[in-house]
């Protein structure tokens, strides 16, 4: 058994589509008080992957490249998303535009089915994933904890799955821990990244303790009173959660078991009357 | 290509515009690229006084343009061509295909650039 234990000094690295990833915290680049705070937060998080998007450019502004230059200076890998897309067609065109602009075939695929929950449209997601994989993309689908959807996405060629914790931006943490645990159990060898709905470092730690491979978040850091410090807090929580998972958590019990040895307890067995 | 010199004091163009080769360092900025493009289009079409006008939708807004192709439209709008990606009527149009993509009335054009994302 001992040989199977990971060496804490050399944590096993995460591999996504054959790319070795040093950090298990993937960070979004939106909603920060300023570009400077965003850049400092990415550094404080130690993130090696950040999410980005494409949006309509206003004539004469040509502002998008300034943002991209800043991201490039951070020396991180970018993962463009298809946020806001409501149909496979929109998502496919958006992914292609992002690939041309960012020069990467990685895509965080979002096909949104509902305005209030920003819940993925799993049917549209699968359709778009199939098309994009056919076009040579490395698809990271933003999905729910649904096992069958996960299976279909895997079959379509998604090597990584990104189930939500809770709806985007809610900060509610792991809304359905039982289902997330099942997903982890059903797909032991597929990299699973919990994406969206994380509000506190403890939520991220809980996901990592369950054995999820990484966490992707944005709002919880960007909207913190001090985003840079919060980024550090998340980095620490995710590292702790991962180490705990590798160390092997104890089984939960329904009844109390004393931790102090019972044998030799003073006065044990003496008649109390 | 016929270079049109700008007489106004325009700000230096964006870095990415240099890479496109359309403008030279120290040459006029975006406003001038647009003027130049219109001049070039007119010349290309045999110096007609009134180039054909089309109504198209660019990023959801109706606009009248004399651009015949997607490439011309991108330039007319003052975009640095390397810093934007395009779609026409819902389908992606790669950079290399913009020149051969002709515009028609009521076409819906999307012109996007990198932005923050979650």
């Amino acid at each position: 058994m001992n040989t199977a234990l990971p060496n804490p000094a050399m944590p096993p690295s995460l591999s996504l589509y054959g790319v070795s990833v040093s950090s298990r915290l993937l960070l979004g680049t939106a909603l920060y008080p300023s570009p400077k705070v965003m850049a400092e937060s990415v550094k404080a998080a130690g993130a090696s992957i950040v999410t980005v998007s494409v949006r309509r450019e206003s004539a004469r502004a040509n502002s998008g490249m300034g943002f991209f230059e800043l991201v490039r200076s951070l020396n991180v890998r970018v993962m463009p998303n298809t946020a806001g897309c409501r149909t496979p067609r929109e998502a496919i065109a958006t992914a292609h535009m992002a690939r041309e602009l960012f020069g990467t075939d990685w895509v965080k695929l979002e096909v949104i089915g509902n305005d209030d929950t920003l819940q993925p449209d799993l049917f549209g997601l699968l359709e778009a994933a199939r098309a994009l994989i056919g076009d040579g993309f490395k698809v990271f689908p933003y999905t729910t904890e649904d096992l069958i959807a996960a299976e279909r996405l895997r079959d379509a060629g998604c090597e990584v799955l990104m189930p939500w914790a809770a709806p985007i931006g809610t900060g509610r943490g792991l809304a359905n821990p039982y289902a997330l645990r099942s997903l982890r159990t059903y797909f032991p060898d597929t990299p699973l990244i919990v994406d969206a709905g994380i509000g506190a470092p403890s939520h991220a730690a809980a996901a990592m303790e369950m054995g999820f491979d990484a966490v992707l978040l944005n709002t919880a850091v960007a909207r913190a009173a001090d985003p840079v410090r919060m980024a550090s807090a998340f980095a620490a929580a995710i590292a702790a959660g991962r180490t705990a998972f590798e160390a092997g958590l104890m089984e939960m019990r329904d009844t109390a078991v004393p931790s102090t040895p019972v044998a030799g307890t003073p006065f044990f067995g003496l008649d109390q009357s | 290509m016929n270079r049109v010199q700008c007489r106004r004091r325009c700000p230096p163009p964006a870095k990415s515009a240099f890479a496109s080769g359309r403008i030279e360092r120290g040459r006029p900025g975006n406003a001038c690229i647009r003027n130049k493009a219109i001049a070039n289009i007119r010349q290309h079409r045999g110096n007609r006084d009134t180039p054909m006008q089309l109504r198209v939708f660019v990023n959801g807004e109706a606009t009248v343009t004399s651009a015949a192709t997607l490439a011309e439209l991108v330039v007319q709008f003052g975009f640095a061509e390397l810093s934007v990606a395009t779609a026409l009527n819902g389908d992606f149009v790669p950079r290399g295909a913009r020149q051969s993509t002709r515009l028609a009335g009521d076409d819906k054009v999307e012109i996007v650039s990198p932005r923050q994302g979650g």
Side-chain angles (χ1 to χ4, degrees):
Chain A
M1 283 298 281
N2 273 350
T3 52
L5 283 177
N7 177 358
M10 285 278 290
S13 71
L14 174 61
S15 176
L16 305 173
Y17 284 99
V19 173
S20 188
V21 175
S22 56
S23 170
R24 291 175 185 273
L25 170 52
L26 288 71
L27 199 60
T29 55
L31 302 173
Y32 292 85
S34 71
K36 184 170 174 281
V37 171
M38 183 274 285
E40 285 173 8
S41 299
V42 171
K43 285 177 197 158
S48 57
I49 298 169
V50 299
T51 51
V52 293
S53 75
V54 299
R55 284 292 178 263
R56 286 171 166 174
E57 179 66 289
S58 63
R60 291 172 288 279
N62 278 326
S63 55
M65 284 325 248
F67 162 71
F68 191 25
E69 289 300 324
L70 175 62
V71 170
R72 258 202 279 246
S73 74
L74 298 172
N75 209 13
V76 291
R77 184 176 282 270
V78 295
M79 189 195 291
N81 67 28
T82 62
C85 291
R86 275 147 216 293
T87 63
R89 190 161 181 236
E90 285 174 16
I92 291 164
T94 302
H96 277 276
M97 291 194 285
R99 178 161 72 175
E100 186 175 83
L101 279 174
F102 291 105
T104 175
D105 50 14
W106 282 22
V107 62
K108 171 181 162 178
L109 183 59
E110 295 183 42
V111 181
I112 299 301
N114 181 285
D115 279 343
D116 294 324
T117 61
L118 299 179
Q119 177 157 354
D121 169 356
L122 299 177
F123 306 95
L125 179 67
L126 181 60
E127 187 183 329
R130 282 184 178 137
L132 289 170
I133 288 164
D135 291 336
F137 281 86
K138 311 281 194 296
V139 175
F140 295 71
Y142 165 60
T143 183
T144 67
E145 61 281 87
D146 188 282
L147 290 178
I148 309 307
E151 228 163 53
R152 297 280 193 277
L153 288 164
R154 278 294 286 126
D155 292 346
C158 295
E159 292 182 20
V160 181
L161 301 175
M162 302 211 295
W164 66 354
I168 297 169
T170 59
R172 300 183 66 85
L174 312 184
N176 194 345
Y178 165 69
L180 284 172
R181 217 181 277 278
S182 299
L183 190 69
R184 178 70 283 180
T185 309
Y186 269 71
F187 297 93
D189 302 321
T190 301
L192 298 178
I193 301 171
V194 171
D195 173 15
I198 297 288
S202 55
H203 302 155
M208 297 306 292
E209 286 169 4
M210 277 185 192
F212 282 91
D213 294 280
V215 172
L216 197 171
L217 55 95
N218 189 155
T219 314
V221 166
R223 286 288 194 239
D226 184 340
V228 180
R229 291 189 74 191
M230 189 58 81
S232 312
F234 269 102
I238 287 166
R242 178 65 195 180
T243 307
F245 170 71
E246 289 171 2
L249 290 145
M250 65 166 281
E251 292 278 321
M252 213 185 280
R253 296 192 186 107
D254 286 333
T255 53
V257 179
S259 48
T260 303
V262 175
T265 305
F267 313 113
F268 184 78
L270 294 184
D271 191 350
Q272 301 287 310
S273 62
Chain B
M1 190 182 255
N2 186 28
R3 296 244 175 229
V4 178
Q5 184 96 34
C6 180
R7 289 182 184 83
R8 285 177 296 167
R9 286 169 184 239
C10 294
K15 211 177 185 181
S16 45
F18 292 127
S20 74
R22 284 204 169 262
I23 34 180
E24 293 164 12
R25 206 165 281 276
R27 288 273 173 156
N30 289 331
C32 312
I33 311 174
R34 200 158 46 249
N35 294 340
K36 188 172 69 180
I38 292 165
N40 286 340
I41 292 159
R42 285 182 178 155
Q43 192 185 37
H44 186 67
R45 291 179 179 169
N47 288 321
R48 278 185 297 179
D49 288 337
T50 48
M52 193 175 65
Q53 302 280 307
L54 277 178
R55 186 188 70 161
V56 297
F57 294 87
V58 178
N59 289 344
E61 283 186 26
T63 182
V64 174
T65 179
S66 60
T69 67
L70 188 52
E72 285 171 10
L73 185 75
V74 166
V75 173
Q76 274 192 19
F77 264 73
F79 295 112
E81 62 177 324
L82 292 177
S83 66
V84 293
T86 51
L88 180 65
N89 299 324
D91 292 321
F92 170 59
V93 179
R95 197 174 286 144
R98 288 180 204 155
Q99 196 67 56
S100 58
T101 302
R102 298 195 68 80
L103 295 177
D106 290 338
D107 270 350
K108 289 170 186 63
V109 179
E110 294 290 332
I111 303 178
V112 302
S113 72
R115 207 61 52 87
Q116 296 83 352

